[in-house]
Amino acid sequence: MEEIRLTPTSYIVLGLLEQEEDVTPYDLKAMVAAGIGNLWSLQHTQLYAEPERLTKAGYLTETREDGGRRRKLYSITAAGRDALHAWLSKEPDDELPEVRDIGLLKVFFGADPGPIALKLAQAHRVKLREYEALEQTLAGTEPAGPLTALRAGLGHEREWVRYWSGLAGEDDAR
Amino acid sequence: MEEIRLTPTSYIVLGLLEQEEDVTPYDLKAMVAAGIGNLWSLQHTQLYAEPERLTKAGYLTETREDGGRRRKLYSITAAGRDALHAWLSKEPDDELPEVRDIGLLKVFFGADPGPIALKLAQAHRVKLREYEALEQTLAGTEPAGPLTALRAGLGHEREWVRYWSGLAGEDDAR
DNA sequence: TGAAGCATGTAATTTGTTACATGATTGG
DNA sequence: CCAATCATGTAACAAATTACATGCTTCA
């Protein structure tokens, strides 16, 4: 049993596996795409590597399908649940997220904001509409976490639309 | 002369070196902290590794101080400028940034938002005040890029304060 | 029935982080 | 003049991305 450091990637995998058993990396890919991936996306290859790491450390068990391709199926262990819940209830630190937007980086270093703003205002409008639709779907469902997190995404998408629209010399109407 | 892939880290170094010559990694660290680091921070060790990479590829030149510690001094080359400007004026893609906030990740997976919200609302208020002060400093200066980028940061900090204050059951007064 | 694209995975490479270390400077 | 902290860097390690590869479905 190896000691490993748990990263955000680890917690995403643990969090998803807490909800469902006997999950393949491919299933994980779909689960990520369905929700958390909006907030924190992962490459599909990480969804092969990370469960392996977590298994070595005792947080997951790995079994094989009987027939067919004998794909790997992962499930969370008690130790995995413990680690997840310990993290969820740990005293929060006050680490702030960074913006890390490529377009903004270019603007910082002197790029003409116009074309960037046009493109990104449009892209954020699309994303905003997608979130608004998702909000309808999630409204009133349990657990509440995904909806609460989504509302942060909504706020930031609105802010991005406001910001880039202003720079593009448009109004921000949709 | 080696081929290398230019990453955001590369462009940050190139962008900073366009403004000044004969810069040590330590200087770079200070330059990052003074501005772009708010948007996109780098570990100090990357500021040793990255200029070396860029030098091998012909985008920078490396010289040595005469006396003392004979520290390494970097300056941008014509090829470096070209690469930077090509990037700055390239047709923008519409890649959207992700939020990647640890607190929000916890909320998504079911953590109690209360304590997280309290802590982060406070931290974002502090950051917001810092940005407001910076805005005063930058107002009217040239080049305009840093101020324009800062205004995005201001908008998002306000949005974070609004969001987390709401979840903390505070009003968002400062 | 064959092409397109989805599903599934491995391996190599590159990037970024952490750990460690030591010389210089400065405030108390 | 001592402790703290800033300045400066290297090396080892871990993580994430990219490249590659191949089996399976489906539908034209």
Side-chain angles (χ1 to χ4, degrees):
Chain A
M1 195 95 84
E2 222 168 287
E3 289 288 306
I4 63 171
R5 181 189 316 268
L6 296 173
T7 66
T9 300
S10 312
Y11 291 116
I12 289 171
V13 170
L14 288 173
L16 293 173
L17 284 174
E18 199 193 21
Q19 316 176 90
E20 205 167 326
E21 297 214 313
D22 289 333
V23 166
T24 69
Y26 197 78
D27 296 333
L28 282 173
K29 185 179 155 196
M31 294 167 87
V32 167
I36 189 63
N38 287 315
L39 191 66
W40 199 304
S41 75
L42 301 176
Q43 306 275 337
H44 79 113
T45 54
Q46 281 181 262
L47 298 175
Y48 290 88
E50 189 63 25
E52 215 162 289
R53 243 166 59 82
L54 292 171
T55 299
K56 276 195 221 149
Y59 298 122
L60 302 181
T61 58
E62 179 187 313
T63 57
R64 290 282 193 152
E65 281 182 336
D66 273 356
R69 300 210 208 169
R70 315 207 65 240
R71 296 180 304 170
K72 290 177 183 173
L73 303 173
Y74 293 97
S75 298
I76 197 168
T77 64
R81 269 175 220 280
D82 287 352
L84 176 62
H85 292 136
W87 177 72
L88 287 176
S89 59
K90 194 174 45 179
E91 191 58 25
D93 56 29
D94 55 6
E95 190 193 352
L96 300 187
E98 288 170 10
V99 175
R100 296 208 167 208
D101 182 281
I102 300 273
L104 209 51
L105 202 53
K106 291 187 182 181
V107 169
F108 184 96
F109 285 116
D112 173 12
I116 297 172
L118 266 177
K119 189 92 170 209
L120 290 182
Q122 186 50 33
H124 280 293
R125 270 187 214 106
V126 169
K127 192 72 180 175
L128 177 53
R129 277 193 229 104
E130 181 194 326
Y131 282 177
E132 285 170 342
L134 232 192
E135 190 185 23
Q136 295 307 312
T137 306
L138 290 181
T141 63
E142 284 298 326
L147 177 57
T148 305
L150 175 62
R151 292 202 212 276
L154 277 162
H156 287 289
E157 288 307 324
R158 293 201 178 98
E159 170 56 24
W160 278 124
V161 170
R162 187 196 66 74
Y163 177 77
W164 290 121
S165 301
L167 279 181
E170 312 169 321
D171 65 29
D172 69 357
R174 304 165 229 153
Chain B
M1 195 94 83
E2 221 167 290
E3 289 287 307
I4 64 172
R5 179 190 318 269
L6 296 174
T7 66
T9 300
S10 312
Y11 291 116
I12 290 171
V13 170
L14 289 173
L16 293 173
L17 285 174
E18 199 193 21
Q19 318 177 77
E20 207 168 326
E21 295 216 314
D22 289 331
V23 165
T24 69
Y26 197 78
D27 297 332
L28 282 174
K29 185 180 152 195
M31 293 166 88
V32 167
I36 188 64
N38 287 314
L39 190 68
W40 199 302
S41 75
L42 301 176
Q43 306 277 334
H44 79 114
T45 54
Q46 280 181 262
L47 298 176
Y48 291 88
E50 189 63 26
E52 215 161 290
R53 241 166 59 82
L54 291 171
T55 299
K56 276 194 223 150
Y59 298 122
L60 303 181
T61 58
E62 180 186 312
T63 58
R64 289 282 193 153
E65 280 182 337
D66 272 356
R69 300 209 209 171
R70 317 206 63 240
R71 295 180 304 170
K72 291 176 184 175
L73 304 174
Y74 294 97
S75 297
I76 197 168
T77 63
R81 267 174 221 280
D82 287 352
L84 177 63
H85 292 138
W87 176 71
L88 287 176
S89 60
K90 192 174 48 179
E91 190 59 25
D93 57 29
D94 55 5
E95 191 192 353
L96 300 187
E98 289 171 8
V99 175
R100 296 211 165 204
D101 181 280
I102 301 274
L104 209 51
L105 201 53
K106 291 186 183 185
V107 168
F108 184 96
F109 285 117
D112 174 12
I116 297 171
L118 267 175
K119 190 92 170 210
L120 290 182
Q122 186 49 33
H124 281 293
R125 272 186 213 106
V126 170
K127 193 72 180 174
L128 177 54
R129 277 191 229 105
E130 182 194 326
Y131 282 176
E132 285 169 341
L134 231 190
E135 190 186 22
Q136 296 306 311
T137 306
L138 291 182
T141 63
E142 284 297 326
L147 178 57
T148 305
L150 175 63
R151 291 202 212 277
L154 277 162
H156 286 289
E157 288 307 322
R158 292 200 178 99
E159 170 55 25
W160 278 123
V161 170
R162 187 196 66 73
Y163 176 77
W164 290 119
S165 300
L167 279 179
E170 311 170 321
D171 66 30
D172 70 358
R174 302 165 230 150

